[in-house]
Each structure stands twice: as C-alpha cells, then as structure tokens.
Amino acid sequence: MDEPTDFNEPLTILIVDDEPDIREFISYFLSHKGYRVFAASNGREAVDIAKRVIPDLVILDILMPEMNGYETCRVLRSTPGLEMTRILFLSALSESYVGEISDKLNADGFISKPIRMGMLVKKVEERIRRTG
C-alpha cells in the first residue's frame, strides 16, 4: 500500500532534526511512500515552516540547538491552526522519560533512535488514521 490515504492530495509531514543524515533518510523514505515532506534543522525553522504548510504530522527530534523539541511542541500547540497537528517525538532518550514528557505536552507518540523504518511507517500511518 504505497498511498497513505484515499485523499487526492498527499498528506504533509514535517521532519525536524538537527542531524542532516537523519532528516534526509526519513524524508527520502516517506516521500517515496507518497507523503509530501518538508524538513527543518531546528525548532525555530520548524515553526516557520509549519505556519506556512500546516503539516498533518510533525516528526520532532528532542535534543536540538536553538529550540529543543519540547519547546517546539509547546509553540506548535499554541499556534492557531496547528493546535491539532499530530506530533511524534524522535529521540535516543529513554522511552519512559520521553513518554512521560510527551503526555504532559499532549504529543501523539514517540519513535526511538536508532530509527527502524518499519516502526516509523507504522506509527506515521497510525497517527494519520487518527487524524481522519
């Protein structure tokens, strides 16, 4: 199943990570799955892009310079038009720690590094289905 949904337009995903290799790897993989993908190297850039493209989903690294993932999540959640955007945290931090913080920030889940593309696609598709 290459198409993420039955919609005419591809769903938009914003990848936010300060590591260029990770951004490129995820972007390449998801774009070949039929998603429209944008990428940002830090939280400030992510907020600017998100305001312009209104993504369906943000995959957000936690440990980044300038604005970390937690602060970026808070800003996205308080930005008109982005309050309901799905957010998946991406991190090498422990899952229990990130899960606890994710709940407090109303994030939609967590993806562990190193990234397993099968798990990433599964979580992306689950969040997209929830969006409807």
Side-chain angles (χ1 to χ4, degrees):
M1 180 170 162
D2 286 339
E3 291 295 321
T5 68
D6 293 330
F7 296 123
N8 291 332
E9 289 214 12
L11 296 173
T12 302
I13 299 176
L14 174 58
I15 312 298
V16 188
D17 198 300
D18 60 322
E19 296 180 44
D21 292 345
I22 290 175
R23 280 194 317 272
E24 290 172 22
F25 179 61
I26 296 172
S27 296
Y28 177 83
F29 192 83
L30 291 177
S31 66
H32 279 79
K33 286 287 192 181
Y35 295 99
R36 183 174 162 225
V37 179
F38 291 85
S41 61
N42 62 63
R44 292 187 200 289
E45 184 181 6
V47 171
D48 290 342
I49 292 171
K51 287 177 181 177
R52 288 194 317 268
V53 303
I54 314 295
D56 299 291
L57 175 72
V58 177
I59 298 175
L60 181 59
D61 187 26
I62 294 173
L63 301 176
M64 296 183 295
E66 294 190 45
M67 183 189 295
N68 69 36
Y70 297 133
E71 183 59 27
T72 304
C73 182
R74 281 189 201 98
V75 171
L76 292 172
R77 289 282 182 241
S78 66
T79 301
L82 297 173
E83 308 93 345
M84 301 308 292
T85 298
R86 300 287 182 188
I87 297 174
L88 287 174
F89 280 122
L90 175 65
S91 184
L93 297 172
S94 79
E95 192 165 347
S96 61
Y97 173 75
V98 175
E100 185 178 316
I101 300 296
S102 296
D103 289 343
K104 289 179 183 176
L105 294 173
N106 197 26
D108 299 288
F110 169 74
I111 300 167
S112 299
K113 287 183 182 178
I115 301 164
R116 294 185 322 228
M117 291 314 292
M119 181 58 71
L120 179 117
V121 169
K122 178 182 174 188
K123 288 193 176 199
V124 164
E125 290 176 350
E126 285 173 357
R127 284 358 173 248
I128 294 297
R129 271 195 300 275
R130 286 185 196 169
T131 302

